[in-house]
Structure formats: structure tokens, C-alpha cells
Amino acid sequence: MITETTTDVRRLPIVVGGSERDSDATETMPVTAPRTGEVIAEVPLCTSDELDMAVNEAKKAQSAWADIPIKDRVQVFYKLKALIERDVDMLAEIITLENGKTDPESRGSILRGIECVEYATALPMTAIGEVLEVSRGVECKTVRSPLGVVAGITPFNFPFMVPLWMIPMSIALGNAFVLKPSPQTPLSGMELARLLKEAGLPDGIFSVVHGDRGIVEAICDHPDIGAIGFVGSTRVARAVYERGTAAGKRVRAMGGAKNHLVVVPDADVEMTASNVVASVTGCAGQRCMAASVLVTVGDCDHIVARIREKMAALKAGTDIGAIISDQAYERITGYLDRAGSNGARLTLDGRDAIAEDAPKGGKYLGASIIDHASPDHEASCDEIFGPTLTIIRCDTLEEAIRIENQNPYGNAAAIYTQSGATAEFFSDKASAGMIGVNIGVPVPREPFAFGGWNESSFGEGDITGPSAIDFWTKTKKITSKWSDKYRSNWMS
Ligand code: NAD
């Protein structure tokens, strides 16, 4: 296993036809452990020939896999769940190594991934077809067919969980899956390949290719890939959606976010403060569900004061994990440097909150607050993707909702209140796919679906839950008649 003290930097293989093999790529990118800054692996920037090879092997294996009854196919995922549970300590270590999350965060992401595996094991109960006698003796039946070879392109921030949003569902539904993990966090995907093989998945049904923009474009253009699941920033989600759909594929692309949390004066102070702080600082703010903007309605000074107090008590390097890269650190601190424009103030600076025992060499940032920001301040508009909270003050709930509605993203939004009527009004009017009531990370858990709106999402439906059944399959409608004892009608 690669560790933070690994001295022999390993060039990662690709997984094709069920086996690891060296990549022919001439270019590589370093994989850096965010906690220490150590280079822990080299990731090859695969060529389109290597993608062809993976897709060809996947095609060869897929039709036999699709012929296996779904009740048998899902057995692999019962075993996968047991194997993930067996290896949970090692997997959490790998996630922390490559991503910089704290150990509890890494473990939490594995548990959430397991729920997606469990949901796929239920497919024999949830993905059944339909049948109806539409005329005397004439029956219509709908059955689901897999698409063939499909692909998943994933971001750095949940290297184990996000692939599991797609892999169990698409494969259990009879497809072969090619994963292109983030080049910043490619190790978890390699572990998934190992575990799926041990769980008994036939060779070729799961493959891994590596790289960045070049290989993503090759996936979008590949004539034998039927669908793409993408998760990442809005800029790339839009590009992948446009290029993939232009090439005739289904594309479900999840983009970035700017989640607004609205607090009204009747909110429970302790519950709200703890919840907002967890949402802002969890995973060092590097999650698409992180609280990014707090909109206060009326006099909420007592709640803001408690939030600030709790955020100021956190230390980066122990309570808050590492920032993924130097580049990300520069981006986030740039917003802190420029915070004091248009009347806004940096009232808490996370650069002052690094734990003494934080691992050396990594990039760490404590929690920051940019208060009294106007709705058009850059910190109110951009996805900062770090442990930073922007606070906008306003007078009415209607104004708060207008501010939320005007932001182009629509992943999540939350309201903090003790009033059911206020919560209902906000839930109805907020323009986001996932709404929290006194919950700042309103992740719907299986069997509910995960998915945003607006510029947080391109393509129909959600990435998990029931929409995923539709996304990874096409339906075949079979109309049949077996007896001539009924008189003929207009259709037979
Ligand atoms: P990213 O968009 O930089 O990368 C995502 C994937 O796209 C990676 O596999 C990467 O190799 C590839 N890629 C990067 N640049 C590309 C380009 N120019 N052309 C084609 N492919 C390219 O995202 P990231 O920094 O890895 O992850 C963070 C982003 O992901 C944030 O914006 C976050 O909000 C978003 N995210 C969204 C969700 C969601 O469900 N909506 C979930 C997790 C993360």
C-alpha cells in the first residue's frame, strides 16, 4: 500500500480486461498527499488507444454479463459490501492519504458509499418491468436493457463515494463501466477495481483509465460508450454534457454549487450554530453540499456570534482536514485577501488557526468568515470550495429567498427556524434540488435521490436513486399474442 512515507513513487497502472497493466502514456501527473505535500504516485495521462482497448475488452465481456439474471448479478454487490467493511480501515487511510480528509470524514464517506451498494442489491425488487393485457389476448410488456459500455468521470473530493454513486447501479443493471477518476485522487478507484474483482465481477466489466482533459474528451467522443456519469465543477460538467450529447450519448453531469443557508431569528441557537459550522468546515469546505453563504433575516446577531465562536475554536490539521493542492489554497486565500471590498469584512481569518501538531508540509486553512457581504460580492457569488462562510444580512425572508434564487447554482439550500410555516414557505420557494430544514448538508440518503438544479446539474434526473435506474437502462416494449381464440381487433 502507498503511504505518506512511501519513497518509491509508483506509476499507477490502468485496469483493462480485469487486469492491471502498465500504461503506454508518455506523460504523467504527480499525485500529492495533501496532508504532507509528498508525491505518493504518478498518474499516467492515458492515450485514446488505451481507452479503445478498455472499451473493447468491456464490450467483449458485457453481453455475457447482461445475460445473467439480475438476481445473480447483484450477488457481486452483496460481496462487495462485505469486502468494503472488511477493509474499511485501509480504505479510510487511502482516502485520507490522497484527499486529506480527517479519518472520521473518510470513514463517513465509505459508509455513504456502502448505502449506494445496498441500494443496487435491491434492484431485483425495484427495477422490475411492467406487463398489462391491453386487448383480449394481447399483452404489452416493458423490460429494461442495459446500454452496453458506460463511463464515469469523478472529482477529487469524494474519491471512494462518488464512484459508488454510479458503479453498483450501472453494473448491476447489466452494463460494463469504465472509471476515469480524478488525477488528484486516483488511488481509491484502484481499490474499487481490486475489491470488485475479489467480489467475483467478471473481467472486463469494470475498467480504470487515468488522465485529465484529453482522456475525458476521448470518452465523450467514443462511439462505443453509451452514457457518461460526470461529477465535478460546473465549467467541466457543462463541457462534458455538451460534447457527450453532441456525440449522441446520454450524459448526467453534476456541477458545482453555492449553497445558501437562511437563518431567521427564531432558530434554535445551539442547533443552528453547530449545524452551520459542520456544513462550512466539514471536508475543509471541499464538498458540493457545503454551506457557502449564510443569509440572516432580521436580528440574528446572537446566532452569528455563536457560529463565529464555534468556528474560531476549530484548528486546521486536526479538526479540519487539508486543502487538496497549493493551487486550491491560493484560490481560497485570494478570496480572503480581497474580502474587504464593498463594505464586507473578514471577521475570522482561517490562516491564523493552524494546529501546532498539524502534519508538516501540507496546506491547511482554518475556518473563515466574510461578513456583511453584498449579494454581488465575489465571495457571495463564486464557489470558493474551502472552509469559508460568507454572510449576507437582509431584512425579510422574501429578500433572502430572492438572493438564493438569483444565484445561478441550485445544488442545496437550507432554512434554520422553529416555525413549520417558515420552513414550508422556504422549501417551496428555494431554487435548489436538495433542501434542508435545520440541516446544512441535506444529502438525501437511499432510496432518495441525490441531484441539484440549475447550473449544478446538466441532463435529466438525479445521479442516484430511482432516476439512476432509468439513466443506465433503455426500455424495450414487447407486445405479444399467443392465441387466436379472441376475435381480431385493430392491432392484431
Ligand atoms: P473538476 O471539474 O476540476 O474535475 C472533475 C473531473 O473532470 C476530473 O476527473 C478531471 O480530471 C476532469 N477534468 C478537469 N478539467 C477538465 C477539462 N477541462 N475537460 C475535461 N475534463 C476535465 O472538479 P474537481 O476540482 O475535481 O472537484 C470539485 C468540483 O466538483 C466542485 O465544483 C464541486 O462542487 C463539484 N462536485 C459536485 C458534486 C455534485 O454532486 N454536484 C459532487 C462532488 C463535487
Side-chain angles (χ1 to χ4, degrees), residues 153-158 162 165 180-184 211-214 216-217 230-237 239-240 254-257 287-288 383 385 411 434 450 452 456 463:
I153 300 161
T154 52
F156 80 82
N157 65 333
F158 283 94
V162 168
W165 284 355
K180 202 300 287 174
S182 166
Q184 293 178 290
D212 208 18
R213 180 176 181 164
V216 170
E217 291 181 350
F230 173 91
V231 182
S233 61
T234 288
R235 179 180 60 83
V236 182
V240 167
M254 316 295 290
R287 55 182 170 185
C288 66
E383 183 179 37
F385 222 53
N411 213 39
M434 294 172 278
F450 187 101
S456 295
I463 191 107

Side-chain angles (χ1 to χ4, degrees), residues 4-319:
E4 276 166 1
T5 52
T6 297
T7 47
D8 193 11
V9 172
R10 178 179 174 226
R11 183 180 154 118
L12 294 181
I14 56 176
V15 178
V16 173
S19 307
E20 291 190 354
R21 52 169 287 158
D22 290 339
S23 163
D24 300 330
T26 50
E27 285 180 81
T28 61
M29 280 172 68
V31 181
T32 305
R35 285 157 43 88
T36 60
E38 299 285 328
V39 174
I40 48 172
E42 293 285 341
V43 71
L45 302 185
C46 288
T47 61
S48 52
D49 287 348
E50 289 175 312
L51 177 66
D52 276 347
M53 196 168 34
V55 173
N56 285 339
E57 291 299 317
K59 265 172 78 177
K60 278 191 234 158
Q62 189 267 333
S63 53
W65 174 243
D67 283 346
I68 296 173
I70 190 165
K71 269 177 169 287
D72 296 332
R73 287 198 302 256
V74 300
Q75 297 309 315
V76 168
F77 293 99
Y78 284 104
K79 290 189 192 124
L80 179 68
K81 179 184 171 187
L83 294 174
I84 295 173
E85 286 168 346
R86 181 196 70 189
D87 288 355
V88 68
D89 293 341
M90 193 232 301
L91 294 169
E93 246 182 80
I94 290 171
I95 296 168
T96 292
L97 171 70
E98 66 175 348
N99 174 278
K101 286 185 202 299
T102 64
D103 180 64
E105 289 168 352
S106 295
R107 286 173 191 274
S109 76
I110 295 171
L111 293 179
R112 179 71 195 99
I114 286 175
E115 290 186 342
C116 300
V117 178
E118 288 169 347
Y119 187 66
T121 62
L123 281 170
M125 272 67 80
T126 55
I128 51 175
E130 291 165 337
V131 59
L132 183 73
E133 187 184 45
V134 290
S135 290
R136 286 305 298 273
V138 177
E139 188 181 88
C140 261
K141 169 164 98 166
T142 309
V143 293
R144 290 183 183 277
S145 297
L147 302 174
V149 181
V150 299
I153 300 161
T154 52
F156 80 82
N157 65 333
F158 283 94
F160 193 77
M161 180 190 83
V162 168
L164 286 176
W165 284 355
M166 303 184 234
I167 294 166
M169 291 295 281
S170 60
I171 291 182
L173 287 163
N175 300 286
F177 189 95
V178 179
L179 174 68
K180 202 300 287 174
S182 166
Q184 293 178 290
T185 54
L187 304 180
S188 297
M190 300 303 289
E191 293 303 314
L192 280 167
R194 176 181 65 76
L195 292 169
L196 282 162
K197 192 171 175 77
E198 191 179 344
L201 189 70
D203 290 347
I205 299 300
F206 181 70
S207 318
V208 183
V209 294
H210 297 291
D212 208 18
R213 180 176 181 164
I215 198 74
V216 170
E217 291 181 350
I219 290 171
C220 292
D221 297 343
H222 201 291
D224 292 329
I225 293 178
I228 300 174
F230 173 91
V231 182
S233 61
T234 288
R235 179 180 60 83
V236 182
R238 183 187 284 111
V240 167
Y241 178 77
E242 287 173 356
R243 191 162 179 142
T245 52
K249 298 183 195 339
R250 287 185 187 182
V251 182
R252 172 99 282 284
M254 316 295 290
K258 189 76 182 169
N259 304 314
H260 287 57
L261 273 47
V262 173
V263 61
V264 300
D266 78 357
D268 180 288
V269 179
E270 273 314 302
M271 184 165 87
T272 302
S274 306
N275 201 267
V276 170
V277 173
S279 181
V280 178
T281 60
C283 301
Q286 300 170 115
R287 55 182 170 185
C288 66
M289 297 296 279
S292 187
V293 176
L294 185 74
V295 187
T296 64
V297 176
D299 182 6
C300 291
D301 284 356
H302 57 302
I303 303 174
V304 170
R306 190 67 182 121
I307 289 171
R308 189 188 177 287
E309 199 178 343
K310 282 180 175 284
M311 283 174 69
L314 297 175
K315 293 285 179 217
T318 48
D319 306 314

Side-chain angles (χ1 to χ4, degrees), residues 366-390:
S368 301
I369 296 178
I370 301 171
D371 202 350
H372 299 282
S374 60
D376 60 354
H377 190 288
E378 62 167 9
S380 306
C381 301
D382 301 352
E383 183 179 37
I384 299 176
F385 222 53
T388 299
L389 182 66
T390 304

Side-chain angles (χ1 to χ4, degrees), residues 324-377:
I324 186 70
S325 64
D326 292 355
Q327 199 189 11
Y329 180 88
E330 297 304 325
R331 185 193 65 239
I332 302 163
T333 52
Y335 284 96
L336 305 182
D337 289 340
R338 299 185 298 274
S341 59
N342 295 344
R345 292 200 295 277
L346 184 64
T347 57
L348 185 64
D349 189 338
R351 288 171 288 201
D352 304 333
I354 315 301
E356 275 178 17
D357 52 347
K360 300 292 170 239
K363 280 281 184 266
Y364 291 100
L365 253 183
S368 301
I369 296 178
I370 301 171
D371 202 350
H372 299 282
S374 60
D376 60 354
H377 190 288

